[in-house]
Amino acid sequence: MKKYLLAVLLVANAAAGFAQSTLEKVGKVSLGLQGAEFSYELPLGKSFLLESTAGLGVGMEAYKNNYSYSFYLLDPVPFVSTQLKWIYNREKREAQDKNNANNAGNYIGLQTKYSFGHPNSLALNKALLTDIHWGLQRSIATKFTFNTNIGLGYMYDFDTAYGAIAPVLRVKFGYRLF
């Protein structure tokens, strides 16, 4: 019985591997309201992506149940983030012959972003933002993408030891490197 169960699991895993061929591994650079970043999207199944990002951009601060985002163009803050995306309308887009290149689709995402802060600024602290959001990603031409999302998250500031609920709005344009 165990051998049959193992065989079924192996076949199901192989089938899931073939089904994920609609999503692609994508490395890209992006520029948007939050700054500049390099990201890599890794398919985790038929409709899930794991996106890892490193960049320079917006700083964060939380204080007494309040928050602030700050962006200094000449002095951006380094950050890293990881996001899990569930692209829920992929099959519908395929059935309607819509462009699905560059992992296009509507999604629900869960993201964790760590901002390293800036030692010379009181408003750019070491902070962690964890949020859930709704977004869309579209392919523009062959190598360009547009991505936007809106949501709500919790920001914890390691320098002030305060936390706050904060809205999230992201807009960025990307260029696919590979």
Side-chain angles (χ1 to χ4, degrees):
M1 185 66 174
K2 290 180 184 178
K3 290 181 183 179
Y4 294 114
L5 182 58
L6 180 62
V8 169
L9 288 175
L10 289 174
V11 170
N13 190 29
F18 290 117
Q20 80 180 21
S21 65
T22 59
L23 292 175
E24 309 169 82
K25 295 178 184 177
V26 175
K28 60 185 171 183
V29 291
S30 299
L31 186 63
L33 296 177
Q34 295 75 33
E37 63 187 39
F38 170 77
S39 63
Y40 182 73
E41 293 179 340
L42 177 68
L44 294 180
K46 186 177 175 184
S47 58
F48 286 93
L49 286 173
L50 180 66
E51 181 177 14
S52 299
T53 304
L56 297 169
V58 173
M60 302 181 284
E61 176 187 23
Y63 49 93
K64 296 185 183 179
N65 293 323
N66 209 346
Y67 64 91
S68 71
Y69 295 103
S70 301
F71 183 66
Y72 301 114
L73 185 60
L74 299 177
D75 210 4
V77 175
F79 67 87
V80 293
S81 69
T82 301
Q83 178 178 194
L84 180 64
K85 294 179 185 176
W86 170 49
I87 302 177
Y88 60 84
N89 71 332
R90 193 81 176 162
E91 291 82 17
K92 182 179 176 183
R93 288 181 60 83
E94 287 175 4
Q96 296 174 347
D97 290 328
K98 291 188 177 180
N99 184 0
N100 278 333
N102 299 319
N103 299 327
N106 297 0
Y107 63 89
I108 298 199
L110 176 64
Q111 179 173 353
T112 299
K113 178 179 180 179
Y114 180 76
S115 174
F116 290 94
H118 196 284
N120 298 331
S121 175
L122 296 175
L124 304 174
N125 295 337
K126 294 178 188 118
L128 182 70
L129 174 66
T130 302
D131 64 82
I132 188 164
H133 53 268
W134 173 85
L136 57 90
Q137 181 165 297
R138 297 293 184 263
S139 184
I140 305 172
T142 306
K143 295 219 173 218
F144 291 93
T145 61
F146 171 75
N147 191 333
T148 186
N149 61 56
I150 187 168
L152 193 62
Y154 181 77
M155 182 188 304
Y156 180 78
D157 190 321
F158 292 97
D159 292 341
T160 64
Y162 285 112
I165 294 175
V168 176
L169 173 65
R170 296 180 186 94
V171 177
K172 59 187 175 181
F173 291 91
Y175 178 77
R176 181 179 178 154
L177 298 173
F178 56 89

